[in-house]
Amino acid sequence: MTDTATRPAPDTSPSPADRTGPVRLVDTRRTALLPATRGRVTGGLWAERRRVNREVSVTTGWDRLHEAGNFTNLELAAGRHEGTPYVGSLPFLDSDLYKWLEAVAWTLADPDLDAEGEARLEQFLDASTQVLEAAQAADGYLDSYFQVNFPGERFVQLAWGHELYCAGHLIQAAVALHRTRGDARLLDVARRVADLVVASFGSGEGRVDGIDGHPEVETALVELYRETGEQGYLDAARYFVDRRGHGLLAGHAFGSHYFQDHEPVREATSVEGHSVRQLYLLAGVADLYVEDGDESLIQAADRLWHEMVATKTYLTGGIGTHHTDEAFGDPYELTNERSYCETCAAIASVMFSWRMLMITGEARYADLVERTLYNGFLAGLSLDGQRYIYANPLQVREGHMAGGNDRDYARKPWFKCACCPPNVMRTLASLEHYVALGGAAGLRLHQFVSGSWTAPVGDGEATVAVETDYPWDGRVRVRVEDSPGTWGLTVRIPHWASGATLTVNGEPVQPTVADGWATVTRVWAAGDELVLDLPLEPRFTRADSRVDADRASVALERGPVVYCFEAVDNPGHRLDDVILDPTATVEVRSTDDGLPADVVTLAAPGRVRPRPAEGWWPYADASTAAPTDGEPVTLTAVPYYVWGNRAPGAMRIWTPAE
Amino acid sequence: MTDTATRPAPDTSPSPADRTGPVRLVDTRRTALLPATRGRVTGGLWAERRRVNREVSVTTGWDRLHEAGNFTNLELAAGRHEGTPYVGSLPFLDSDLYKWLEAVAWTLADPDLDAEGEARLEQFLDASTQVLEAAQAADGYLDSYFQVNFPGERFVQLAWGHELYCAGHLIQAAVALHRTRGDARLLDVARRVADLVVASFGSGEGRVDGIDGHPEVETALVELYRETGEQGYLDAARYFVDRRGHGLLAGHAFGSHYFQDHEPVREATSVEGHSVRQLYLLAGVADLYVEDGDESLIQAADRLWHEMVATKTYLTGGIGTHHTDEAFGDPYELTNERSYCETCAAIASVMFSWRMLMITGEARYADLVERTLYNGFLAGLSLDGQRYIYANPLQVREGHMAGGNDRDYARKPWFKCACCPPNVMRTLASLEHYVALGGAAGLRLHQFVSGSWTAPVGDGEATVAVETDYPWDGRVRVRVEDSPGTWGLTVRIPHWASGATLTVNGEPVQPTVADGWATVTRVWAAGDELVLDLPLEPRFTRADSRVDADRASVALERGPVVYCFEAVDNPGHRLDDVILDPTATVEVRSTDDGLPADVVTLAAPGRVRPRPAEGWWPYADASTAAPTDGEPVTLTAVPYYVWGNRAPGAMRIWTPAE
């Protein structure tokens, strides 16, 4: 009936090793990362998540931050409070406030925010800004941890002090607020901080030749440069990128790769160390490339992205295997049981991939953004928007001993080190940025989100309205609401989609299909409708043979959603003994068992392996047969991101297939 | 030609769940754990390891301890030194000295120690004892960390203070020295410490009702009771065992199970938390049972040993999966890439299993001691006796990023937290304890070690001389050198040994075979020789199907030795892509490539899987074929314990079989 737009199978794509040449640029630099769409999310999964974010998470953030003591040092620095400073080993508390302020800023631009909510957020914003203005020193310095605990000590404890990291998040909040509300007060505070950084750091005499242990200021300074046009900010960003990798932070117990300070980014061939640090750095590297065009930067970013995705990324888009140093493991070291997969690392991955998408226009970046948003990111937040998780395991065993720092997999209202909660908030609050892009050639839909998207196309501007129940349903309707004439409407064909079809006004079309994009170029008029149908057959997935953790196992996916088996849905079946049959047909079902009504669950045939007569020693001669048969069962799978919202218990994604 | 003594296959052994009944006691209590043999190791692998330990490790320990600052606080407390105390977060530094002193004590009993070495060790011992005598407070308190840094603060920081842990190691050193040399000076110091502990702790008024975060004092107090007959020490040990598990140490970030304080040991059904702490505790529980006969203690110890071995023990005998909290993982969570397997935990396992062996007489305990000694323990020490490792991974990938606290797998001369090196020293120095046991029924050989062993049998005493090249050769000659008449000579038939044969004076015999032991009871006369032949065919081993990390993989073993593949022996073959054929014949070879001349290496046929054309995404549809064929190769395997002694590079034990 219709034409088929099929993506090539992954294995035939170019290898990371081949990707040292220049990267194709779709968009001009300079403005590529400025908001290219005016979007509004109107329905479906993301609208609901944003509603909860707006009404629950962001709103209660003010109380959570106060309870956690994030305002204590700032109020002490502002002279508004006398008491005991918050010391601990948490020099980054100011940044939690800043990330939340960024979430407030984006939320204030949400058309669905009601007047009461708006007034409340403005009150929070005003009160916060007043504290920050009062706390800021005359010369612009603002970091309450050092101001209160180590007055006069500035830019000395660079490895662990997080001063520039905090500055970066302040800048990002201020830029967001300036963009959404034209607010200059917070931007003034941020600029004075940035000016002091610019004046203090560098290789000249009397300057600090150093970098922050946690990258973040790089991307923030480029953003501030975009917002203000001030060259000094861009130069400072370049300085920080250039100086990293020369051992300035050496001597830490985790090794200099923890800080990505073991080799300059232009020479690096692998992502290493603390995964959030690595990806915040690479987001800054991509930003810097956009503004100054240094090809060696984008080559490095592209090379490292591919190394990360091909060898160090979980099926969920989660990254960072190790708990101890919150770091990437070795290539293919993707243990499910102890997957760290920090929620912040999923966010950092989205930040980096989105920039690479905007720069190169390659669909694989959008594919990873989508996978990460629906799985590794969304799992970090409870369905009710009130609880968060730091580490996102891909497997929880029967008999799991919970408790303690990193063995308690239940989501929590807040953390002592609360980087993740406000990071989730700002990501959901700015989600519309990830959906579409306009340009000379037309309008491109990166993600399938119900809403309205206005973007420059050719010489004018187009508006499209998207209606879809994706990811539960594969039909995506794109109705043109406003059009300047002839332009290309481009939709992504996800890498897992085989047999996608397109119609325009009900008629099958033969789009231009290339590298994951399908484009229909024509005279578009208001009322025209493009319909994309993505087949959402459940599918079994296997891993690269080098991923030892997934050997002889399969995972169940449908569309961009990774599924898992949870004990609560499979009573009586021991999830540690389950075997799936990857040749069997998986049934699609609805659910009413404590999950949102739209969530699609799956029913997969399998077996439960009989337990052997247990010996004292769990290893046996390989010539003896392991039990392979077992009682046939039908197992219920739920989207990974909803796991742990009902009852505690075992959970697994990768499941033996033999 | 000869009779065959075959052990039952592991899977038919009783399940841990069945093991709640009373445990069969082979030996009487009370003296079971006192040295039952007078042994001398005279040849083979262990003699060489003990020579290196004596001449290199123990001897240079004095300098290492001084360089590391272990004497600093003690000398400050003794008023012999002025300077900066050693603080850090290392309240356990005194214990490193004590463990080394214990090694000195056992080494002083080594008949192979020459006069020069003896004089040197006595000098060290005298100087150390003088410092300890001078540092000890008038009331017996001795803990230099608290004396110097927090004078007057005693028994308050119990969760992390390690005061009783240090006291325990002092006691063990003093007991060892008293047994080997009759030295009373150190025992006096230790008794005064113990007397203060006895007087300070308890549930009475004015006493501290508490336990130490790190068990150790329990086993030490029982030993001190044995050495002195002082009931108060035994009562204190019972108090510390009884009070653990009631949440006295609650509130730590790792959770109370880290300290085994989440439930009383008699109620526990699983080993949990910090593995060394758990096993030191259980060693103390076993010791306490020996002396006071409380059956609930031995039932708990037996239940927990079986749970640990069946679900949380690596093929190497290594235990403790997690890096972050040095803890046991969940059941069957036995990741190879991040196996923590602390050397100290292997030692603790030997301590616990040996006590269970002495109590119950069950061969499986001796089997685990053997496996742990040859693999998980011995890997912790370099062949030259100068370098140690904390964490013993079972797999190192290609492209491993080394550096930092727990990613540098190279053995090191010493550590800031140097618990492992002197623990290795005291274990090697006292190795003869693990070999044999005498009793009413006769003499039993737990381990196969060349040497001379004298033990009580019946009403008299027997001496046997063992000659063997085990574990490289399966022939073990046991020559009777002195005999009081009729008694049983018992040898262990390891659980992996199928087809073992026995002769006496060259004639096949039909021994009494039960549960892993073969006994020949007869009138033994000097000159009689029993020869045990253990078949040492290389064998492929598979893991329980619940060990996800080992799925569809095999390991190569020969006798008690676990083998690994190391990059240095397999140049040109990518160890991440190797597939073994478990039906193939493995050849036994000698080696001269940088390993000790007696080490047996193996040559195993396999294939090197072709690498797929790499895509950007490492996951593919399960219906597409993963590469299974590959270039045939012959791979060289070496004993796991010698890995990492030549060149850095990839290493693996478990290897895909498909």
Side-chain angles (χ1 to χ4, degrees), chain A residues 239-250:
Chain A
Y239 163 81
F240 289 125
V241 167
D242 288 350
R243 290 299 286 146
R244 189 171 295 268
H246 298 279
L248 295 177
L249 303 170

Side-chain angles (χ1 to χ4, degrees), chain A residues 62 100 108 116-130:
Chain A
W62 172 259
W100 172 77
L108 281 167
E116 193 192 334
E118 185 172 6
R120 195 189 300 115
L121 293 188
E122 282 189 334
Q123 216 174 355
F124 292 160
L125 177 62
D126 184 58
S128 303
T129 307
Q130 279 184 32

Side-chain angles (χ1 to χ4, degrees), chain A residues 7 10-16 252-255 257 262 270 272-273 305-306 309-311 313-315 317 322-325 327-335 337-338 364 367-368 371 395 397-407 495 539-554 576-577 582 609 611-627 652 654 656 658, chain B residues 7 10-16 252-255 257 262 270 272-273 305-306 309-311 313-315 317 322-325 327-335 337-338 364 367-368 371 395 397-407 495 539-554 576-577 582 609 611-627 652 654 656 658:
Chain A
R7 286 290 296 280
D11 277 359
T12 62
S13 305
S15 119
H252 193 274
F254 287 147
H257 60 269
H262 60 302
S270 57
E272 298 292 350
W305 188 91
H306 280 84
V309 178
T311 74
T313 301
Y314 285 93
L315 187 67
H322 293 193
H323 277 243
T324 315
D325 48 0
F328 290 104
D330 292 327
Y332 304 104
E333 184 193 338
L334 292 163
T335 322
E337 299 155 279
R338 292 280 289 166
R364 59 184 63 176
D367 285 349
L368 188 70
R371 176 177 293 275
Q395 178 180 6
R397 286 183 176 276
E398 294 176 45
H400 171 64
M401 168 54 71
N405 253 354
D406 61 3
R407 303 178 68 136
H495 71 103
R539 61 193 193 278
F540 288 102
T541 301
R542 66 167 173 82
D544 186 288
S545 58
R546 284 162 289 187
V547 185
D548 289 288
D550 302 340
R551 174 157 293 115
S553 299
V554 293
D576 285 8
D577 293 285
R609 198 195 307 263
R611 292 215 162 153
E614 290 191 54
W616 65 274
W617 185 238
Y619 307 97
D621 195 290
S623 63
T624 64
R652 68 186 307 154
W654 290 99
E658 59 184 58
Chain B
R7 286 288 297 278
D11 276 0
T12 63
S13 305
S15 117
H252 192 274
F254 287 145
H257 60 269
H262 61 302
S270 56
E272 298 292 351
W305 188 91
H306 280 85
V309 178
T311 75
T313 301
Y314 285 93
L315 188 65
H322 293 192
H323 277 244
T324 314
D325 48 1
F328 290 105
D330 292 327
Y332 305 104
E333 184 193 340
L334 292 163
T335 323
E337 299 156 283
R338 291 281 288 166
R364 57 184 64 175
D367 284 349
L368 188 71
R371 177 178 291 277
Q395 178 180 8
R397 286 183 175 277
E398 295 176 43
H400 170 64
M401 168 54 73
N405 253 354
D406 61 3
R407 305 178 65 136
H495 73 102
R539 61 193 193 276
F540 288 102
T541 300
R542 66 167 173 81
D544 186 288
S545 59
R546 286 162 287 187
V547 184
D548 289 289
D550 302 339
R551 175 157 292 115
S553 299
V554 292
D576 285 7
D577 294 287
R609 200 192 307 264
R611 293 218 158 148
E614 291 189 54
W616 65 274
W617 186 238
Y619 306 99
D621 195 291
S623 63
T624 64
R652 70 185 306 154
W654 290 100
E658 58 186 57

Side-chain angles (χ1 to χ4, degrees), chain B residues 92-115:
Chain B
F92 37 75
L93 282 193
D94 290 356
S95 70
D96 300 340
L97 168 63
Y98 299 148
K99 281 189 277 190
W100 172 76
L101 280 175
E102 188 187 334
V104 168
W106 299 123
T107 302
L108 281 167
D110 185 341
D112 291 322
L113 180 69
D114 61 20

Side-chain angles (χ1 to χ4, degrees), chain B residues 129-455:
Chain B
T129 306
Q130 280 184 31
V131 173
L132 294 171
E133 286 171 336
Q136 188 164 38
D139 66 352
Y141 187 83
L142 176 57
D143 188 300
S144 73
Y145 178 82
F146 284 95
Q147 288 173 285
V148 169
N149 295 302
F150 307 99
E153 189 168 323
R154 294 174 173 193
F155 308 137
V156 175
Q157 294 185 34
L158 288 172
W160 199 248
H162 287 76
E163 282 161 293
L164 301 184
Y165 170 82
C166 289
H169 278 300
L170 169 61
I171 291 168
Q172 287 191 319
V175 167
L177 200 63
H178 192 247
R179 284 191 189 148
T180 56
R181 309 285 276 194
D183 181 294
R185 277 175 69 195
L186 198 62
L187 192 67
D188 284 347
V189 174
R191 285 196 69 160
R192 290 202 289 143
V193 167
D195 291 342
L196 182 67
V197 169
V198 167
S200 302
F201 283 84
S203 39
E205 206 184 309
R207 284 164 175 259
V208 179
D209 185 21
I211 54 173
D212 194 275
H214 201 314
E216 155 65 21
V217 79
E218 298 80 0
T219 187
L221 283 168
V222 178
E223 279 283 76
L224 190 59
Y225 161 71
R226 290 179 185 135
E227 201 65 15
T228 64
E230 173 61 50
Q231 181 70 27
Y233 302 145
L234 185 65
D235 293 343
R238 188 185 304 108
Y239 163 81
F240 289 125
V241 167
D242 289 350
R243 290 298 287 146
R244 188 170 296 268
H246 300 279
L248 296 177
L249 303 170
H252 192 274
F254 287 145
S256 59
H257 60 269
Y258 174 76
F259 306 108
Q260 295 77 47
D261 195 31
H262 61 302
E263 63 182 342
V265 69
R266 290 177 181 83
E267 296 166 24
T269 55
S270 56
V271 291
E272 298 292 351
H274 189 281
S275 56
V276 177
R277 292 169 200 248
Q278 173 72 81
L279 294 181
Y280 277 23
L281 173 65
L282 289 172
V285 166
D287 274 332
L288 186 59
Y289 165 73
V290 170
E291 301 307 329
D292 78 3
D294 178 346
E295 290 284 336
S296 67
L297 290 175
I298 194 65
Q299 281 166 14
D302 181 73
R303 181 172 69 239
L304 294 173
W305 188 91
H306 280 85
E307 193 268 348
M308 172 183 88
V309 178
T311 75
K312 295 173 180 169
T313 301
Y314 285 93
L315 188 65
T316 57
I319 53 167
T321 299
H322 293 192
H323 277 244
T324 314
D325 48 1
E326 307 184 301
F328 290 105
D330 292 327
Y332 305 104
E333 184 193 340
L334 292 163
T335 323
N336 296 309
E337 299 156 283
R338 291 281 288 166
S339 56
Y340 190 59
C341 292
E342 186 185 342
T343 305
C344 280
I347 292 168
S349 170
V350 169
M351 284 167 52
F352 176 37
S353 295
W354 178 57
R355 284 163 173 77
M356 294 303 288
L357 167 66
M358 303 289 269
I359 293 168
T360 69
E362 291 192 22
R364 57 184 64 175
Y365 297 110
D367 284 349
L368 188 71
V369 167
E370 171 175 73
R371 177 178 291 277
T372 306
L373 286 175
Y374 281 110
N375 303 287
F377 164 71
L378 214 43
L381 176 67
S382 67
L383 291 171
D384 65 7
Q386 299 189 45
R387 291 169 296 127
Y388 306 86
I389 201 165
Y390 229 87
N392 293 279
L394 272 74
Q395 178 180 8
V396 180
R397 286 183 175 277
E398 295 176 43
H400 170 64
M401 168 54 73
N405 253 354
D406 61 3
R407 305 178 65 136
D408 193 342
Y409 295 147
R411 297 183 187 86
K412 297 282 192 302
W414 208 251
F415 306 100
K416 200 172 162 189
C417 170
C419 53
C420 298
N423 222 358
V424 169
M425 292 178 207
R426 69 178 184 137
T427 304
L428 284 171
S430 59
L431 191 96
E432 71 275 15
H433 293 168
Y434 300 118
V435 178
L437 181 70
L443 188 149
R444 201 166 60 191
L445 282 180
H446 297 151
Q447 307 297 340
F448 309 115
V449 177
S450 287
S452 168
W453 317 98
T454 299

